[in-house]
């Protein structure tokens, strides 16, 4: 399967690139910094050098699946802008497109929206914009019926790390370990995403992956 990954040098994008490549898929990394990409993904990595906001529908037409893993934590509004731009490129298309979302739109075991709890934390005003844009992005996706989108959220604690061999899936809820923690490694998130590419279950839905 031909897969494009926008933002393939980030933690999520790089993990998905490596997992999909390992499974034999034809993967292209869409990046802005080719030197960084070659260092991170290998000198033989297939690269398309482009800014997400310069991509066109024609650029993405050759691929069966596109994954938008673009992130800008310094200017989180750009994450939402990138989602809406890529969403526009796939209007009326039958090609699948994945969007990486945050965990703030997930629900706790008590039925509380995680975002609402985050706003109550001390000094949340200094960092709450990124979770807020993630919640808004999911609302936008859910109102979109002419794009074959899939949203993916990590768990509350999202960390670097390899796949462990076991993952758990939920649609909208945080998943807690025996220690009461909600967590997922980048490797396990990548396994869940490539599983979904190979065996679709969540078209026009969001799902989340945990260790």
């Amino acid at each position: 399967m031909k897969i494009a990954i926008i933002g393939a040098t980030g933690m999520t994008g790089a993990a998905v690139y490596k997992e999909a490549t390992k499974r034999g898929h034809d993967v292209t990394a869409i990046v802005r910094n080719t030197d960084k990409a070659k260092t991170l993904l290998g000198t033989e990595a297939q690269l398309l050098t482009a800014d997400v906001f310069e991509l066109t529908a024609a650029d993405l037409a050759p691929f069966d699946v596109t994954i938008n893993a673009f992130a800008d934590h310094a200017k989180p509004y750009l994450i939402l802008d990138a989602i809406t731009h890529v969403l526009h490129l796939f209007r009326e298309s039958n090609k699948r497109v994945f969007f990486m979302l945050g965990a703030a739109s997930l629900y706790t075991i008590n039925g509380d929206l995680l975002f609402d709890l985050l706003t109550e934390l001390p000094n949340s005003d200094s960092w709450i914009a990124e979770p807020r844009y993630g919640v808004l992005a999911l609302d936008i996706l859910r109102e979109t019926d002419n794009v074959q989108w899939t949203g993916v959220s990590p768990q509350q604690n999202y960390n670097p790390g390899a796949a462990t061999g076991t993952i758990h899936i939920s649609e909208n809820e945080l998943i807690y370990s025996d220690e009461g923690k909600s967590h997922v490694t980048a490797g396990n998130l990548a396994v869940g995403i490539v599983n979904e590419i190979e065996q679709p279950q969540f078209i026009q839905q969001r799902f989340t992956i945990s260790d």
Side-chain angles (χ1 to χ4, degrees), residues 10-210:
M11 183 168 70
T12 299
V16 176
Y17 181 93
K18 292 173 183 177
E19 180 66 24
T21 302
K22 182 176 72 175
R23 298 198 200 183
H25 294 288
D26 182 358
V27 189
T28 296
I30 300 177
V31 299
R32 289 177 293 181
N33 188 324
T34 55
D35 290 337
K36 180 180 179 181
K38 289 178 181 179
T39 300
L40 188 63
L41 305 176
T43 57
E44 296 182 357
Q46 294 186 103
L47 305 178
L48 171 59
T49 306
D51 185 282
V52 61
F53 297 106
E54 297 172 351
L55 289 171
T56 67
D59 292 327
L60 301 177
F63 303 102
D64 302 303
V65 177
T66 297
I67 298 170
N68 176 34
F70 170 85
D72 189 322
H73 305 300
K75 297 179 179 179
Y77 62 85
L78 291 177
I79 301 174
L80 180 62
D81 290 350
I83 288 173
T84 55
H85 174 68
V86 174
L87 193 64
H88 173 71
L89 301 181
F90 282 86
R91 294 288 186 181
E92 306 295 346
S93 170
N94 61 0
K95 300 288 186 71
R96 293 192 72 188
V97 55
F98 285 63
F99 294 95
M100 299 302 107
L101 306 169
S105 56
L106 296 171
Y107 288 88
T108 71
I109 196 170
N110 296 320
D112 298 312
L113 185 66
L114 179 59
F115 175 77
D116 292 337
L117 301 181
L118 295 177
T119 62
E120 298 173 2
L121 295 177
N123 303 314
S124 64
D125 288 349
S126 63
W127 50 264
I128 201 66
E130 186 168 346
R132 180 182 295 114
Y133 286 126
V135 173
L136 179 56
L138 180 57
D139 289 340
I140 291 170
L141 291 176
R142 284 174 168 165
E143 292 297 321
T144 302
D145 60 5
N146 61 354
V147 175
Q148 300 302 299
W149 63 268
T150 295
V152 184
S153 288
Q155 289 292 293
Q156 186 171 3
N157 295 297
Y158 181 37
N159 306 304
T164 62
T166 301
I167 63 170
H168 303 278
I169 300 293
S170 172
E171 288 189 34
N172 297 302
E173 291 78 32
L174 292 165
I175 303 170
Y176 298 92
S177 66
D178 293 339
E179 297 78 25
K181 302 294 185 180
S182 158
H183 53 76
V184 67
T185 65
N188 279 340
L189 190 80
V191 168
I193 291 170
V194 181
N195 286 351
E196 172 63 22
I197 290 173
E198 294 176 346
Q199 297 181 322
Q201 299 182 62
F202 295 100
I203 296 176
Q204 294 187 339
Q205 297 180 66
R206 183 271 303 275
F207 73 105
T208 181
I209 303 154
S210 100

